Short mmCIF file of all heavy atoms in Angstrom, two decimals:
data_model
loop_
_atom_site.label_atom_id
_atom_site.label_comp_id
_atom_site.label_asym_id
_atom_site.label_seq_id
_atom_site.Cartn_x
_atom_site.Cartn_y
_atom_site.Cartn_z
N MET F 1 7.65 -8.93 -21.90
CA MET F 1 8.31 -7.98 -20.98
C MET F 1 8.04 -8.48 -19.55
O MET F 1 6.95 -8.73 -19.09
CB MET F 1 7.72 -6.57 -21.17
CG MET F 1 8.24 -5.59 -20.19
SD MET F 1 7.58 -3.88 -20.63
CE MET F 1 7.93 -3.04 -19.09
N THR F 2 9.18 -8.59 -18.82
CA THR F 2 9.08 -9.07 -17.44
C THR F 2 9.29 -7.93 -16.45
O THR F 2 10.40 -7.33 -16.51
CB THR F 2 10.04 -10.26 -17.14
OG1 THR F 2 9.76 -11.27 -18.10
CG2 THR F 2 9.84 -10.78 -15.81
N VAL F 3 8.42 -7.73 -15.57
CA VAL F 3 8.60 -6.76 -14.50
C VAL F 3 8.56 -7.47 -13.15
O VAL F 3 7.57 -8.15 -12.87
CB VAL F 3 7.45 -5.65 -14.57
CG1 VAL F 3 7.61 -4.71 -13.42
CG2 VAL F 3 7.48 -4.96 -15.88
N SER F 4 9.61 -7.34 -12.45
CA SER F 4 9.60 -7.99 -11.14
C SER F 4 8.64 -7.28 -10.20
O SER F 4 8.51 -6.01 -10.28
CB SER F 4 10.96 -8.00 -10.55
OG SER F 4 11.49 -6.68 -10.31
N ALA F 5 8.08 -7.95 -9.28
CA ALA F 5 7.11 -7.44 -8.43
C ALA F 5 7.41 -7.69 -6.92
O ALA F 5 8.06 -8.70 -6.64
CB ALA F 5 5.68 -7.95 -8.80
N VAL F 6 6.85 -6.82 -6.10
CA VAL F 6 7.07 -7.02 -4.68
C VAL F 6 5.64 -6.96 -4.03
O VAL F 6 4.75 -6.35 -4.57
CB VAL F 6 8.00 -6.06 -4.04
CG1 VAL F 6 9.43 -6.15 -4.57
CG2 VAL F 6 7.45 -4.63 -4.28
N THR F 7 5.54 -7.52 -2.86
CA THR F 7 4.28 -7.39 -2.11
C THR F 7 4.39 -6.19 -1.23
O THR F 7 5.24 -6.10 -0.33
CB THR F 7 4.05 -8.64 -1.22
OG1 THR F 7 3.94 -9.72 -2.15
CG2 THR F 7 2.76 -8.48 -0.53
N ALA F 8 3.49 -5.22 -1.37
CA ALA F 8 3.43 -4.07 -0.53
C ALA F 8 2.39 -4.37 0.57
O ALA F 8 1.25 -4.56 0.26
CB ALA F 8 3.02 -2.83 -1.34
N GLU F 9 2.85 -4.34 1.79
CA GLU F 9 1.96 -4.62 2.89
C GLU F 9 1.71 -3.27 3.70
O GLU F 9 2.68 -2.63 4.05
CB GLU F 9 2.60 -5.65 3.86
CG GLU F 9 1.70 -6.09 4.97
CD GLU F 9 2.41 -7.13 5.85
OE1 GLU F 9 2.59 -8.29 5.35
OE2 GLU F 9 2.72 -6.75 6.96
N TRP F 10 0.52 -2.88 3.85
CA TRP F 10 0.19 -1.64 4.46
C TRP F 10 -0.94 -1.76 5.42
O TRP F 10 -1.83 -2.62 5.17
CB TRP F 10 0.00 -0.54 3.48
CG TRP F 10 -1.19 -0.70 2.50
CD1 TRP F 10 -1.12 -1.51 1.32
CD2 TRP F 10 -2.47 -0.23 2.64
NE1 TRP F 10 -2.36 -1.42 0.74
CE2 TRP F 10 -3.22 -0.63 1.54
CE3 TRP F 10 -3.09 0.63 3.58
CZ2 TRP F 10 -4.58 -0.33 1.31
CZ3 TRP F 10 -4.42 0.92 3.38
CH2 TRP F 10 -5.18 0.49 2.25
N ILE F 11 -1.02 -0.93 6.41
CA ILE F 11 -2.06 -1.01 7.41
C ILE F 11 -3.02 0.14 7.29
O ILE F 11 -2.56 1.35 7.18
CB ILE F 11 -1.47 -1.08 8.83
CG1 ILE F 11 -0.71 -2.34 9.01
CG2 ILE F 11 -2.56 -1.00 9.87
CD1 ILE F 11 0.06 -2.42 10.29
N CYS F 12 -4.26 -0.13 7.13
CA CYS F 12 -5.30 0.94 6.95
C CYS F 12 -5.28 1.88 8.17
O CYS F 12 -5.32 1.42 9.32
CB CYS F 12 -6.63 0.33 6.80
SG CYS F 12 -7.97 1.51 6.58
N THR F 13 -5.22 3.15 7.92
CA THR F 13 -5.20 4.16 9.02
C THR F 13 -6.59 4.33 9.60
O THR F 13 -6.76 4.97 10.66
CB THR F 13 -4.68 5.50 8.58
OG1 THR F 13 -5.46 5.95 7.51
CG2 THR F 13 -3.23 5.35 8.08
N ARG F 14 -7.60 3.88 8.92
CA ARG F 14 -8.95 4.04 9.39
C ARG F 14 -9.41 2.84 10.22
O ARG F 14 -9.98 2.98 11.32
CB ARG F 14 -9.91 4.22 8.19
CG ARG F 14 -11.34 4.43 8.64
CD ARG F 14 -12.27 4.63 7.50
NE ARG F 14 -12.09 5.94 6.92
CZ ARG F 14 -12.71 6.31 5.77
NH1 ARG F 14 -13.49 5.49 5.10
NH2 ARG F 14 -12.55 7.53 5.30
N CYS F 15 -9.17 1.62 9.76
CA CYS F 15 -9.73 0.47 10.50
C CYS F 15 -8.61 -0.50 11.01
O CYS F 15 -8.90 -1.44 11.74
CB CYS F 15 -10.68 -0.29 9.64
SG CYS F 15 -9.96 -1.18 8.29
N GLY F 16 -7.41 -0.27 10.58
CA GLY F 16 -6.30 -1.17 11.12
C GLY F 16 -6.12 -2.40 10.36
O GLY F 16 -5.24 -3.24 10.74
N THR F 17 -6.84 -2.60 9.35
CA THR F 17 -6.68 -3.90 8.62
C THR F 17 -5.44 -3.93 7.80
O THR F 17 -5.03 -2.89 7.25
CB THR F 17 -7.90 -4.05 7.59
OG1 THR F 17 -9.11 -4.23 8.32
CG2 THR F 17 -7.65 -5.26 6.69
N THR F 18 -4.75 -5.03 7.79
CA THR F 18 -3.54 -5.19 6.97
C THR F 18 -3.94 -5.54 5.62
O THR F 18 -4.68 -6.57 5.36
CB THR F 18 -2.60 -6.28 7.58
OG1 THR F 18 -2.21 -5.89 8.84
CG2 THR F 18 -1.40 -6.45 6.70
N ASN F 19 -3.47 -4.77 4.61
CA ASN F 19 -3.73 -5.00 3.20
C ASN F 19 -2.47 -5.34 2.52
O ASN F 19 -1.36 -4.93 2.91
CB ASN F 19 -4.31 -3.74 2.56
CG ASN F 19 -5.68 -3.39 3.13
OD1 ASN F 19 -6.66 -3.94 2.71
ND2 ASN F 19 -5.70 -2.46 4.09
N ARG F 20 -2.60 -6.14 1.40
CA ARG F 20 -1.46 -6.48 0.66
C ARG F 20 -1.74 -6.27 -0.84
O ARG F 20 -2.85 -6.63 -1.29
CB ARG F 20 -1.02 -7.91 0.85
CG ARG F 20 -0.52 -8.18 2.23
CD ARG F 20 -0.11 -9.63 2.49
NE ARG F 20 0.34 -9.86 3.81
CZ ARG F 20 -0.50 -10.05 4.86
NH1 ARG F 20 -1.81 -10.10 4.64
NH2 ARG F 20 -0.07 -10.24 6.05
N LYS F 21 -0.75 -5.75 -1.56
CA LYS F 21 -0.88 -5.55 -2.96
C LYS F 21 0.39 -5.87 -3.68
O LYS F 21 1.45 -5.51 -3.16
CB LYS F 21 -1.30 -4.10 -3.24
CG LYS F 21 -1.59 -3.72 -4.66
CD LYS F 21 -1.95 -2.24 -4.72
CE LYS F 21 -2.24 -1.76 -6.20
NZ LYS F 21 -3.49 -2.42 -6.71
N LEU F 22 0.27 -6.53 -4.77
CA LEU F 22 1.45 -6.87 -5.59
C LEU F 22 1.72 -5.64 -6.49
O LEU F 22 0.85 -5.26 -7.26
CB LEU F 22 1.21 -8.11 -6.41
CG LEU F 22 2.41 -8.84 -6.94
CD1 LEU F 22 3.27 -9.30 -5.79
CD2 LEU F 22 1.94 -9.98 -7.81
N VAL F 23 2.95 -5.05 -6.36
CA VAL F 23 3.22 -3.85 -7.11
C VAL F 23 4.66 -4.09 -7.84
O VAL F 23 5.41 -4.90 -7.42
CB VAL F 23 3.34 -2.68 -6.21
CG1 VAL F 23 2.01 -2.42 -5.47
CG2 VAL F 23 4.46 -2.79 -5.21
N PRO F 24 4.86 -3.30 -8.90
CA PRO F 24 6.17 -3.35 -9.53
C PRO F 24 7.30 -2.99 -8.53
O PRO F 24 7.07 -2.11 -7.67
CB PRO F 24 6.12 -2.27 -10.59
CG PRO F 24 4.62 -2.10 -10.88
CD PRO F 24 3.97 -2.37 -9.57
N SER F 25 8.38 -3.67 -8.60
CA SER F 25 9.43 -3.46 -7.63
C SER F 25 10.04 -2.09 -7.61
O SER F 25 10.68 -1.64 -6.65
CB SER F 25 10.58 -4.47 -7.87
OG SER F 25 11.14 -4.35 -9.09
N ASP F 26 9.79 -1.32 -8.69
CA ASP F 26 10.32 0.02 -8.76
C ASP F 26 9.28 1.12 -8.44
O ASP F 26 9.49 2.26 -8.63
CB ASP F 26 10.99 0.32 -10.13
CG ASP F 26 10.04 0.20 -11.29
OD1 ASP F 26 8.84 -0.21 -11.03
OD2 ASP F 26 10.33 0.53 -12.38
N ALA F 27 8.12 0.61 -7.97
CA ALA F 27 7.08 1.59 -7.62
C ALA F 27 7.45 2.48 -6.47
O ALA F 27 8.09 1.92 -5.50
CB ALA F 27 5.80 0.81 -7.23
N ARG F 28 7.18 3.72 -6.53
CA ARG F 28 7.53 4.61 -5.47
C ARG F 28 6.30 5.15 -4.68
O ARG F 28 6.35 5.58 -3.56
CB ARG F 28 8.28 5.80 -5.98
CG ARG F 28 9.67 5.44 -6.47
CD ARG F 28 10.50 6.67 -6.87
NE ARG F 28 11.82 6.24 -7.31
CZ ARG F 28 12.63 7.12 -7.84
NH1 ARG F 28 12.33 8.38 -7.95
NH2 ARG F 28 13.86 6.75 -8.24
N GLU F 29 5.18 4.97 -5.40
CA GLU F 29 3.92 5.45 -4.70
C GLU F 29 2.80 4.72 -5.44
O GLU F 29 2.73 4.69 -6.66
CB GLU F 29 3.75 6.92 -4.76
CG GLU F 29 2.47 7.38 -4.10
CD GLU F 29 2.38 8.88 -4.18
OE1 GLU F 29 3.31 9.58 -3.86
OE2 GLU F 29 1.24 9.41 -4.56
N ILE F 30 1.92 4.09 -4.67
CA ILE F 30 0.69 3.47 -5.30
C ILE F 30 -0.54 3.95 -4.61
O ILE F 30 -0.39 4.57 -3.53
CB ILE F 30 0.79 1.90 -5.20
CG1 ILE F 30 0.82 1.52 -3.73
CG2 ILE F 30 2.00 1.35 -5.93
CD1 ILE F 30 0.62 -0.03 -3.51
N GLU F 31 -1.62 3.69 -5.19
CA GLU F 31 -2.88 3.99 -4.54
C GLU F 31 -3.55 2.64 -4.46
O GLU F 31 -3.64 1.81 -5.26
CB GLU F 31 -3.75 4.95 -5.40
CG GLU F 31 -3.16 6.32 -5.40
CD GLU F 31 -4.13 7.37 -6.03
OE1 GLU F 31 -5.19 6.89 -6.50
OE2 GLU F 31 -3.77 8.54 -6.04
N ASP F 32 -4.10 2.43 -3.22
CA ASP F 32 -4.85 1.19 -2.98
C ASP F 32 -6.01 1.48 -2.04
O ASP F 32 -6.07 2.47 -1.37
CB ASP F 32 -3.87 0.21 -2.32
CG ASP F 32 -4.39 -1.30 -2.45
OD1 ASP F 32 -5.38 -1.48 -3.20
OD2 ASP F 32 -3.85 -2.16 -1.77
N ARG F 33 -6.96 0.55 -2.08
CA ARG F 33 -8.21 0.72 -1.32
C ARG F 33 -8.25 -0.38 -0.30
O ARG F 33 -8.00 -1.56 -0.61
CB ARG F 33 -9.39 0.63 -2.26
CG ARG F 33 -10.74 0.94 -1.67
CD ARG F 33 -11.81 0.72 -2.69
NE ARG F 33 -11.82 1.77 -3.72
CZ ARG F 33 -12.57 2.87 -3.67
NH1 ARG F 33 -13.32 3.12 -2.65
NH2 ARG F 33 -12.44 3.77 -4.67
N CYS F 34 -8.56 -0.04 0.92
CA CYS F 34 -8.68 -1.01 2.03
C CYS F 34 -9.71 -2.08 1.66
O CYS F 34 -10.86 -1.76 1.32
CB CYS F 34 -8.94 -0.32 3.35
SG CYS F 34 -9.19 -1.49 4.68
N LEU F 35 -9.39 -3.28 1.78
CA LEU F 35 -10.30 -4.37 1.50
C LEU F 35 -11.42 -4.40 2.47
O LEU F 35 -12.51 -4.86 2.19
CB LEU F 35 -9.62 -5.76 1.49
CG LEU F 35 -8.63 -6.03 0.36
CD1 LEU F 35 -7.88 -7.36 0.66
CD2 LEU F 35 -9.43 -6.16 -0.91
N HIS F 36 -11.17 -3.92 3.69
CA HIS F 36 -12.21 -4.04 4.78
C HIS F 36 -13.17 -2.86 4.72
O HIS F 36 -14.40 -3.07 4.74
CB HIS F 36 -11.50 -4.10 6.10
CG HIS F 36 -12.45 -4.31 7.20
ND1 HIS F 36 -13.16 -5.43 7.46
CD2 HIS F 36 -12.81 -3.42 8.22
CE1 HIS F 36 -13.90 -5.30 8.56
NE2 HIS F 36 -13.75 -4.09 9.03
N CYS F 37 -12.68 -1.60 4.74
CA CYS F 37 -13.54 -0.45 4.85
C CYS F 37 -13.56 0.39 3.56
O CYS F 37 -14.37 1.35 3.49
CB CYS F 37 -13.16 0.40 6.07
SG CYS F 37 -11.59 1.36 5.77
N GLY F 38 -12.77 0.11 2.60
CA GLY F 38 -12.78 0.78 1.30
C GLY F 38 -12.09 2.13 1.24
O GLY F 38 -12.20 2.76 0.23
N ALA F 39 -11.43 2.54 2.33
CA ALA F 39 -10.72 3.78 2.31
C ALA F 39 -9.54 3.76 1.38
O ALA F 39 -8.80 2.85 1.32
CB ALA F 39 -10.22 4.16 3.77
N GLU F 40 -9.48 4.84 0.57
CA GLU F 40 -8.35 4.91 -0.32
C GLU F 40 -7.13 5.51 0.30
O GLU F 40 -7.18 6.43 1.08
CB GLU F 40 -8.73 5.84 -1.52
CG GLU F 40 -9.60 5.09 -2.53
CD GLU F 40 -9.76 5.90 -3.85
OE1 GLU F 40 -8.83 6.66 -4.17
OE2 GLU F 40 -10.79 5.75 -4.53
N HIS F 41 -5.97 4.89 0.03
CA HIS F 41 -4.75 5.34 0.68
C HIS F 41 -3.73 5.52 -0.40
O HIS F 41 -3.66 4.92 -1.42
CB HIS F 41 -4.26 4.30 1.67
CG HIS F 41 -4.98 4.24 2.94
ND1 HIS F 41 -6.29 3.84 2.99
CD2 HIS F 41 -4.58 4.56 4.24
CE1 HIS F 41 -6.61 3.92 4.32
NE2 HIS F 41 -5.71 4.33 5.04
N GLU F 42 -2.77 6.50 -0.12
CA GLU F 42 -1.60 6.49 -0.87
C GLU F 42 -0.52 5.72 -0.09
O GLU F 42 -0.34 5.94 1.15
CB GLU F 42 -1.11 8.01 -1.00
CG GLU F 42 -2.03 8.80 -1.85
CD GLU F 42 -1.53 10.25 -2.02
OE1 GLU F 42 -0.62 10.61 -1.33
OE2 GLU F 42 -2.15 10.93 -2.79
N VAL F 43 0.19 4.87 -0.76
CA VAL F 43 1.07 3.95 -0.05
C VAL F 43 2.50 4.12 -0.65
O VAL F 43 2.63 4.07 -1.89
CB VAL F 43 0.62 2.48 -0.23
CG1 VAL F 43 1.38 1.51 0.67
CG2 VAL F 43 -0.90 2.39 0.13
N ARG F 44 3.45 4.23 0.16
CA ARG F 44 4.78 4.45 -0.24
C ARG F 44 5.74 3.48 0.48
O ARG F 44 5.42 3.07 1.68
CB ARG F 44 5.31 5.91 0.07
CG ARG F 44 4.47 6.94 -0.62
CD ARG F 44 5.00 8.31 -0.25
NE ARG F 44 4.10 9.37 -0.83
CZ ARG F 44 3.01 9.78 -0.22
NH1 ARG F 44 2.71 9.39 0.98
NH2 ARG F 44 2.26 10.72 -0.81
N PRO F 45 6.85 3.14 -0.12
CA PRO F 45 7.78 2.17 0.55
C PRO F 45 8.29 2.68 1.86
O PRO F 45 8.58 3.89 2.01
CB PRO F 45 8.94 2.15 -0.45
CG PRO F 45 8.33 2.45 -1.80
CD PRO F 45 7.30 3.50 -1.45
N GLY F 46 8.36 1.79 2.81
CA GLY F 46 8.81 2.19 4.17
C GLY F 46 10.23 1.72 4.43
O GLY F 46 11.01 1.42 3.48
N ALA F 47 10.56 1.74 5.63
CA ALA F 47 11.99 1.35 6.00
C ALA F 47 12.30 -0.08 5.67
O ALA F 47 13.37 -0.46 5.32
CB ALA F 47 12.19 1.60 7.49
N ARG F 48 11.27 -0.98 5.85
CA ARG F 48 11.46 -2.41 5.51
C ARG F 48 10.72 -2.68 4.19
O ARG F 48 9.69 -2.06 3.89
CB ARG F 48 10.86 -3.21 6.62
CG ARG F 48 11.73 -3.21 7.91
CD ARG F 48 11.16 -4.20 8.96
NE ARG F 48 9.92 -3.67 9.45
CZ ARG F 48 9.04 -4.41 10.15
NH1 ARG F 48 9.24 -5.70 10.29
NH2 ARG F 48 7.92 -3.95 10.61
N PRO F 49 11.29 -3.61 3.43
CA PRO F 49 10.81 -3.84 2.05
C PRO F 49 9.33 -4.12 1.99
O PRO F 49 8.66 -3.71 1.03
CB PRO F 49 11.63 -5.06 1.62
CG PRO F 49 12.84 -5.02 2.49
CD PRO F 49 12.43 -4.44 3.83
N THR F 50 8.79 -4.94 2.90
CA THR F 50 7.35 -5.35 2.68
C THR F 50 6.47 -4.48 3.47
O THR F 50 5.19 -4.56 3.25
CB THR F 50 7.21 -6.79 3.13
OG1 THR F 50 7.58 -6.94 4.51
CG2 THR F 50 8.01 -7.78 2.29
N ARG F 51 6.94 -3.69 4.39
CA ARG F 51 6.01 -2.84 5.20
C ARG F 51 6.01 -1.46 4.65
O ARG F 51 6.99 -0.76 4.84
CB ARG F 51 6.45 -2.84 6.66
CG ARG F 51 5.64 -2.00 7.60
CD ARG F 51 4.11 -2.33 7.54
NE ARG F 51 3.88 -3.68 7.83
CZ ARG F 51 3.61 -4.15 9.07
NH1 ARG F 51 3.59 -3.34 10.06
NH2 ARG F 51 3.36 -5.42 9.22
N TRP F 52 4.91 -1.10 4.02
CA TRP F 52 4.85 0.21 3.45
C TRP F 52 4.04 1.16 4.33
O TRP F 52 3.31 0.75 5.20
CB TRP F 52 4.16 0.07 2.04
CG TRP F 52 5.03 -0.54 1.01
CD1 TRP F 52 5.97 -1.53 1.19
CD2 TRP F 52 5.15 -0.17 -0.38
NE1 TRP F 52 6.55 -1.84 -0.01
CE2 TRP F 52 6.08 -1.04 -0.99
CE3 TRP F 52 4.42 0.77 -1.19
CZ2 TRP F 52 6.38 -0.90 -2.33
CZ3 TRP F 52 4.75 0.87 -2.50
CH2 TRP F 52 5.73 0.03 -3.06
N GLU F 53 4.32 2.44 4.05
CA GLU F 53 3.66 3.51 4.80
C GLU F 53 2.44 3.95 4.11
O GLU F 53 2.44 4.36 2.93
CB GLU F 53 4.58 4.70 5.01
CG GLU F 53 5.95 4.34 5.60
CD GLU F 53 5.79 3.98 7.04
OE1 GLU F 53 4.87 4.34 7.70
OE2 GLU F 53 6.68 3.21 7.57
N ALA F 54 1.28 3.97 4.75
CA ALA F 54 0.01 4.31 4.12
C ALA F 54 -0.52 5.64 4.70
O ALA F 54 -0.35 5.97 5.89
CB ALA F 54 -1.03 3.20 4.39
N GLU F 55 -1.11 6.40 3.81
CA GLU F 55 -1.66 7.69 4.22
C GLU F 55 -3.07 7.85 3.60
O GLU F 55 -3.24 7.51 2.42
CB GLU F 55 -0.74 8.81 3.62
CG GLU F 55 -0.98 10.17 4.18
CD GLU F 55 0.05 11.15 3.65
OE1 GLU F 55 1.26 10.85 3.91
OE2 GLU F 55 -0.33 12.14 3.05
N LEU F 56 -4.04 8.22 4.44
CA LEU F 56 -5.39 8.28 3.91
C LEU F 56 -5.46 9.33 2.77
O LEU F 56 -4.96 10.41 2.92
CB LEU F 56 -6.32 8.71 5.11
CG LEU F 56 -7.81 8.54 4.87
CD1 LEU F 56 -8.18 7.09 4.59
CD2 LEU F 56 -8.55 9.05 6.11
N ASP F 57 -6.09 8.94 1.72
CA ASP F 57 -6.27 9.77 0.58
C ASP F 57 -7.60 10.41 0.59
O ASP F 57 -8.64 9.81 0.27
CB ASP F 57 -6.04 8.96 -0.68
CG ASP F 57 -6.01 9.81 -1.93
OD1 ASP F 57 -5.85 11.05 -1.79
OD2 ASP F 57 -6.11 9.26 -3.06
N ASP F 58 -7.70 11.71 0.93
CA ASP F 58 -8.96 12.39 1.15
C ASP F 58 -9.57 12.80 -0.23
O ASP F 58 -8.80 13.38 -1.03
CB ASP F 58 -8.81 13.59 2.02
CG ASP F 58 -8.47 13.21 3.43
OD1 ASP F 58 -9.08 12.21 3.88
OD2 ASP F 58 -7.73 13.91 4.04
ZN1 LIG T 1 -9.77 0.00 6.38
#
């Protein structure tokens, strides 16, 4: 089974670090943890394909 994937690029709202995660191309919402500070975020596709919108997950 082949699932195409895209790179979701998101910016940590806590520390400003740019994070990247490979996700299925049909993903609408993912959860990811900042590589720098460890903050969990909910990440959703943004206006541009590779730049996703991140929201701190409390
Ligand atoms: Zn961070």
Side-chain angles (χ1 to χ4, degrees):
M1 177 174 162
T2 301
V3 177
S4 61
V6 295
T7 300
E9 185 180 289
W10 61 276
I11 296 174
C12 179
T13 61
R14 181 179 286 173
C15 73
T17 294
T18 299
N19 293 277
R20 290 179 185 84
K21 184 181 179 70
L22 199 62
V23 302
S25 59
D26 61 353
R28 291 184 181 175
E29 181 179 313
I30 60 167
E31 290 188 358
D32 198 13
R33 186 183 290 267
C34 177
L35 287 174
H36 183 70
C37 73
E40 284 192 26
H41 285 67
E42 293 181 354
V43 189
R44 300 180 185 86
R48 286 184 291 162
T50 58
R51 177 57 55 90
W52 287 37
E53 305 289 337
E55 193 174 302
L56 193 62
D57 188 13
D58 292 322

